Amino acid sequence: MIKVITYGTFDLFHEGHYKLLQRAKELGDYLIVGVTTEEYDQARGKLNVVDSLMTRIENVKKTGFADEIIVEESQGQKFSDIKKYDIDIFTVGSDWVGVFDYLQDYCKVVYLDRTKNISSTMLRTKETPIQRIGIIGTGRIANRFIPEAALVSGVNTQCVYNPHFESAEIFAKKWGIDACKGIEEFFNSSDIVYIASPHETHYSYIKQSLEHGKHVLCEKPMCFHKEQARELFEYAKEKKLILFEGIKTAYCPGFTKLLGIACSGAIGNIRSLEACFTKLEDENSRELKDIQYGGSFTELGSYCLLPILKIFGHDYEEVRFETIKDSNGIDIYTKAHMRYANGLATATCGLGVKSEGKLLISGTTGYIVVEAPWWKTSYFEVHHEDPNEIERLSERFLGDGLRYEISDLLSMINGDTRKDFKLTRGDSETIAGIMDQFLAERNGVV
Ligand code: CTP
């Protein structure tokens, strides 16, 4: 019996897939088809797969060509599958010519001609037109955003706006996009607005963007007042638009995995959480010069509050702040202590004090530790009373990690609500409420 194996994502199943499977089956007597998981596709940079794994498997099954369907979860699996299933022929479309020649030592490798003029990418683009992204702001984060957005299929960074037109022009030239002189011209050229301007301008830019019928991705913190956050989310809902706060950690695969494990009882009942993020800044930096909205907590607090709210929820009994301020009254180091009915949490942030950036989640039977940079979660350990009993888990985190939030935003715009849980409206509103209290106490306006 000749055993054949082939692999693919098989998203939005099309004629090219059908013909490939048909010819793969004809190569032998028994065909095994490996269908990729969403996580593996993400890890290899294929973002925005539309169909769920179950749907993609179902579609392969329906062709009747597959004698067996398996799931492909990681790089290197092809080699072990070939051994495990005693494969005679590995086959794949001609877009992969050469890539799998290394498997020739173990079985025959056949590249089948690809069907012309059809691909999942083409269908995704047809079903969901390319979304044009317009950026407000030209700072560090905006510069990081563009190469990350370029990795997400289905979006195109189109233009930039900055009230200082010269800055917009320099930025636009650097990235080969358009600089808009006026905000109306900017809105006319965008479908999604990415707001990366100074914190205090977020509220007004979000509101204007929604008024113009644009989806919004806003850098954290989205706003400083819970009421404002509520109003903006209500407005977005009314206008059937997506309003999305860009706390990148929430969308990275490692963080999702971490929450899954923490909440599965692996360390018993969770009772304590400590999150710390410090990043030394120059005393002349915007972060330490802006006496109204700058400082450690407004800058980094969103990251540290994220795991706390995801694990303990929004109904905290108390939040109490301790800060060390510089001569301008800006906090260079802040600890936010939160008390819940069944747990305690601390969010520690520093722009002028360096500390170990660790996330520690403690439960009744063990603890999980994520070393810095835990906000780019890629590795963590689960410990128990017995020091020899350590579980080590890892997940890929690529580049600056903004690709994950951009990809999830796009899925949500295209009607996929499966990603909503990662950062909910309630999470963003609660963070805004905590920021509100913090600023009122720090700036003395209670
Ligand atoms: N395939 C093919 N002809 C096409 C499209 C795909 O023969 N027109 C083959 C691929 O070469 C691969 C298999 O079908 O062997 C699964 O490919 P997959 O990557 O899932 O499909 P694509 O349409 O190429 O997807 P994408 O556009 O997302 O890369």
Side-chain angles (χ1 to χ4, degrees), residues 6-11 14-21 23 36 44 46 49 91-96 112-122 124:
T6 189
Y7 296 86
T9 306
F10 303 104
D11 190 28
H14 56 69
E15 189 198 346
H17 295 145
Y18 185 89
K19 288 187 172 159
L20 185 285
L21 293 178
R23 284 170 297 152
T36 52
R44 63 194 186 121
K46 196 169 189 172
V49 170
T91 187
V92 73
S94 53
D95 40 329
W96 296 100
L112 292 168
D113 279 345
R114 196 178 154 88
T115 306
K116 291 198 173 58
N117 301 323
I118 181 86
S119 74
S120 305
T121 305
M122 235 168 89
R124 281 194 288 264

Side-chain angles (χ1 to χ4, degrees), residues 32-52:
I32 301 179
V33 181
V35 182
T36 52
T37 61
E38 200 175 325
E39 291 72 26
Y40 178 45
D41 275 325
Q42 278 207 348
R44 63 194 186 121
K46 196 169 189 172
L47 302 163
N48 294 336
V49 170
V50 174
D51 289 334
S52 69

